[in-house]
């Protein structure tokens, strides 16, 4: 079974070639220890991949391994719902097919 970071690298490469995607990259959430304390990255639940599509809409994709594709947590579910309500392009991808399902529906 591939690790999520291996799936992430492959799906970023695919998304960057998609004609509807203007920019996409990985994002990190949580906290990291820095000199003098802790630094807050993105909030819990923020999508693994972020960017924007041609036309300017925000793009957020939560990644899951195929064996955990339906296992989003409460924070991830809330963030995806907020993004949908705001008109963003978002979804959950676990392989190339699920990624293309999201990207091909961009208007």
């Amino acid at each position: 079974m591939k690790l999520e970071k291996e799936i992430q690298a492959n799906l970023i490469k695919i998304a960057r070639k998609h004609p509807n995607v203007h920019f996409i990259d990985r994002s990190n959430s949580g906290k990291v220890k820095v000199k003098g304390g802790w630094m807050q990255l993105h909030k819990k639940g923020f999508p693994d991949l972020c960017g924007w599509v041609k036309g300017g809409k925000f793009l957020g994709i939560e990644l899951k391994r195929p064996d955990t594709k339906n296992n989003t947590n409460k924070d991830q579910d809330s963030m995806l719902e907020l993004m949908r309500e705001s008109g963003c392009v978002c979804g959950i991808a676990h392989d190339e097919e699920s990624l293309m399902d999201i990207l091909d529906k961009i208007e």
Side-chain angles (χ1 to χ4, degrees):
M1 180 64 58
K2 284 187 177 183
L3 298 173
E4 191 172 301
K5 70 179 184 176
E6 294 170 319
I7 294 168
Q8 182 181 67
N10 184 50
L11 294 184
I12 288 172
K13 197 178 297 184
I14 291 166
R16 285 180 175 159
K17 294 178 182 176
H18 195 282
N20 290 335
V21 176
H22 185 74
F23 173 82
I24 192 164
D25 210 345
R26 69 185 187 96
S27 63
N28 294 309
S29 60
K31 294 181 181 181
V32 293
K33 189 158 178 66
V34 296
K35 185 177 180 179
W38 292 87
M39 182 174 79
Q40 175 71 47
L41 303 174
H42 289 293
K43 294 177 77 167
K44 286 183 177 183
F46 205 79
D48 298 309
L49 303 182
C50 295
W52 57 89
V53 300
K54 304 250 166 103
K57 285 187 177 183
F58 183 83
L59 172 63
I61 299 175
E62 182 62 43
L63 298 178
K64 293 294 177 190
R65 293 187 325 266
D67 61 318
T68 64
K69 63 185 175 186
N70 296 318
N71 292 349
T72 53
N73 64 42
K74 176 181 69 159
D75 294 319
Q76 293 165 337
D77 292 339
S78 295
M79 183 63 71
L80 289 169
E81 183 61 28
L82 176 63
M83 291 175 68
R84 280 187 204 97
E85 290 172 356
S86 300
C88 301
V89 176
C90 62
I92 302 166
H94 54 274
D95 59 15
E96 184 175 349
E97 182 180 346
S98 57
L99 175 67
M100 297 308 279
D101 284 346
I102 297 165
L103 300 180
D104 287 342
K105 292 178 183 170
I106 298 170
E107 297 177 2

